[in-house]
Amino acid sequence: CCDSFLLYECHGHPRKYGRLSEWSSSASAIQFRSLIALTASRRYERSKPVQPRLSVPISTTSRCGFLAWRAMAERRGFCSLPQDTPSICNVLDATLTSNSVPTLRISHTASHVEAMLEGDGLRQTEKRPFSFTLSAQDAEDIRWYLEDYRIYPVEPTPKIARRIERRMSDIGRELFQRVVAGSDVWEAVRGRLADTRIEVETELEDALVPWELLRDPVADLPLALGVSSFVRCHSRPALRPNPPAPEPGKIRILLAICRLEGDQVGFRSVARRLIRGLTGSAREPFDLEVLRPPTFEQLAKRLREAKAQGQPFHAVHFDGHGLSGEVFFENPKLEGNRESVKAGELGKLLHETRVPLLILNACRSASSVPPEQPAQTDDPHQRIRQLGSFAHAVMDYGASGVVAWR
């Protein structure tokens, strides 16, 4: 029901970049209907640690999962894709690059925003006063556009959608004006935007700012669709990422397909497309295991077994339902065959069992809904768990990367 994905990734290791540029046929037809899909997967450059990146406009949930899987394979040295790779996207450049990749870092601290450009020996900074609030109406309109409109795109909803599209463009231009318009930083980056990586330091202060809408008023396009990658980062997690050491072999993925009582979503609705997208030799880099039964208890048992055997999984792919702050595993002992699992429970389990990547096909898993009466605290980690999204909280417990639904 939602085509908007958001990546959270954690900077816990020396910075060494791998770049994978992607193109999707849907890119020219959207106006940020699909925001961005990104993944930070296993850190590999054959035998060297890497922070892999993937950026791609996306139009289906299964396509996002497929690209996340394939990005991991690219980082393991499978850099030339077989001929039977599906045509949903075209890999333009799978070259692993070094620290010379131009990187535009946007950080929001208190009442200021800083844009810093680094790479190729450059280092330019623009710091400005900053204040931005997304109104409740704008937030609800964008949510409706990304979730509900795609399901029922019939009159009079197209007229409403066009109004929201114009509003999203206005928001993007406003953010651009407040952050980089007219600056030396933008003059230095605009000519090589396609080779640039944008990082947004995402603490709670700007977690609700729609940075993905940043829009160049001259080209009239969101920056996120013009750069090589666009990610939100969490650089100060409570637990340092604990990924498995580099090793030869396949990417091990544990797929948890959770369907609740009365669920109308087909059991293989996502998995079928993923497997179909990896036909023949394209499946070679992956070792896929389906969790049975798909309970949280069984997930913990299987992840701990894999770690004890010296072969921890590289990714857990959750295909199920979620709300802001929780996802639902199956549990036949509970009402509705549903067990609520909070971000802390899953995040600590992934950290304990050395699983670096979590892929969430779950509604609202990257959406923040603050409680009506939040507890007062100055502890940033407690604030993330109380006010942040499920994905953000999982990152705070030490995951290297999360692909989640906005």
Side-chain angles (χ1 to χ4, degrees):
C1 66
C2 175
D3 290 334
S4 168
F5 289 85
L6 176 67
L7 165 80
Y8 283 86
E9 63 178 30
C10 187
H11 293 161
H13 293 271
R15 308 183 65 81
K16 199 171 182 68
Y17 297 132
R19 186 186 68 184
L20 178 65
S21 300
E22 297 274 357
W23 173 87
S24 169
S25 60
S26 64
S28 61
I30 64 173
Q31 188 169 4
F32 242 84
R33 179 171 301 170
S34 305
L35 292 178
I36 45 174
L38 311 112
T39 180
S41 57
R42 195 177 180 190
R43 305 170 192 274
Y44 279 110
E45 182 180 332
R46 297 189 183 275
S47 61
K48 299 179 182 179
V50 176
Q51 276 190 297
R53 319 294 184 192
L54 172 66
S55 173
V56 55
I58 208 75
S59 62
T60 66
T61 59
S62 54
R63 187 179 299 179
C64 177
F66 165 76
L67 291 170
W69 290 12
R70 195 174 65 179
M72 288 189 286
E74 296 291 341
R75 302 306 173 250
R76 292 296 301 277
F78 295 89
C79 286
S80 58
L81 295 177
Q83 294 298 316
D84 57 357
T85 298
S87 60
I88 59 172
C89 58
N90 179 32
V91 177
L92 303 180
D93 182 3
T95 305
L96 294 171
T97 58
S98 67
N99 290 346
S100 62
V101 174
T103 302
L104 176 60
R105 298 190 179 93
I106 299 173
S107 58
H108 174 207
T109 304
S111 60
H112 288 80
V113 64
E114 182 178 81
M116 178 185 295
L117 176 64
E118 293 183 325
D120 291 336
L122 292 174
R123 184 183 177 90
Q124 293 180 296
T125 302
E126 180 75 13
K127 189 172 183 179
R128 298 177 176 180
F130 182 81
S131 176
F132 180 89
T133 301
L134 186 69
S135 72
Q137 185 60 57
D138 283 337
E140 173 56 25
D141 284 347
I142 294 174
R143 185 212 63 77
W144 174 86
Y145 181 80
L146 293 170
E147 295 184 11
D148 300 345
Y149 174 53
R150 300 299 302 276
I151 301 174
Y152 301 107
V154 296
E155 293 295 346
T157 56
K159 182 177 180 180
I160 299 172
R162 287 191 292 272
R163 173 183 63 79
I164 297 174
E165 288 174 352
R166 291 192 295 270
R167 178 58 185 147
M168 288 195 293
S169 296
D170 290 343
I171 292 172
R173 283 188 284 268
E174 179 184 351
L175 287 171
F176 182 90
Q177 290 293 330
R178 291 174 181 265
V179 178
V180 294
S183 68
D184 292 340
V185 169
W186 177 244
E187 287 302 315
V189 76
R190 65 185 304 177
R192 50 178 179 171
L193 199 61
D195 296 323
T196 300
R197 162 186 174 79
I198 294 181
E199 296 178 356
V200 177
E201 177 65 18
T202 310
E203 302 302 338
L204 282 179
E205 286 76 11
D206 59 356
L208 298 179
V209 176
W211 293 106
E212 293 80 9
L213 295 178
L214 271 167
R215 195 178 193 88
D216 175 8
V218 177
D220 197 28
L221 285 173
L223 301 189
L225 295 184
V227 296
S228 65
S229 60
F230 189 110
V231 301
R232 293 196 182 212
C233 303
H234 181 40
S235 61
R236 296 181 292 277
L239 296 176
R240 183 180 176 83
N242 185 32
E247 60 173 333
K250 296 186 176 183
I251 302 294
R252 295 182 290 275
I253 303 172
L254 184 59
L255 175 60
I257 305 174
C258 301
R259 298 294 180 260
L260 310 181
E261 186 176 297
D263 207 323
Q264 297 182 1
V265 180
F267 180 76
R268 297 180 180 177
S269 58
V270 173
R272 182 188 298 112
R273 293 173 182 265
L274 287 168
I275 301 303
R276 189 178 295 167
L278 292 170
T279 58
S281 58
R283 297 187 187 182
E284 181 59 28
F286 306 102
D287 184 0
L288 175 64
E289 179 179 328
V290 178
L291 181 68
R292 302 179 189 277
T295 64
F296 186 66
E297 180 182 10
Q298 181 64 18
L299 175 73
K301 178 181 178 182
R302 186 65 193 95
L303 292 182
R304 287 171 178 142
E305 287 176 348
K307 179 189 175 185
Q309 294 166 359
Q311 293 189 321
F313 286 94
H314 304 116
V316 168
H317 188 143
F318 176 84
D319 170 17
H321 295 278
L323 294 173
S324 180
E326 60 186 339
V327 295
F328 299 100
F329 281 79
E330 292 187 23
N331 191 332
K333 299 178 182 179
L334 300 178
E335 183 179 357
N337 190 34
R338 58 189 281 165
E339 178 180 1
S340 170
V341 175
K342 304 296 184 182
E345 298 175 87
L346 184 54
K348 285 186 281 190
L349 175 63
L350 297 178
H351 184 268
E352 173 199 338
T353 55
R354 307 193 71 179
V355 178
L357 176 65
L358 175 64
I359 303 170
L360 292 164
N361 278 111
C363 287
R364 312 290 176 84
S365 49
S367 177
S368 301
V369 181
E372 294 183 2
Q373 294 182 327
Q376 297 299 315
T377 177
D378 293 329
D379 185 331
H381 306 294
Q382 290 300 324
R383 295 183 66 219
I384 288 172
R385 292 157 201 173
Q386 184 178 196
L387 305 174
S389 68
F390 186 93
H392 200 169
V394 170
M395 291 300 308
D396 199 52
Y397 283 103
S400 299
V402 178
V403 182
W405 287 34
R406 183 70 159 159

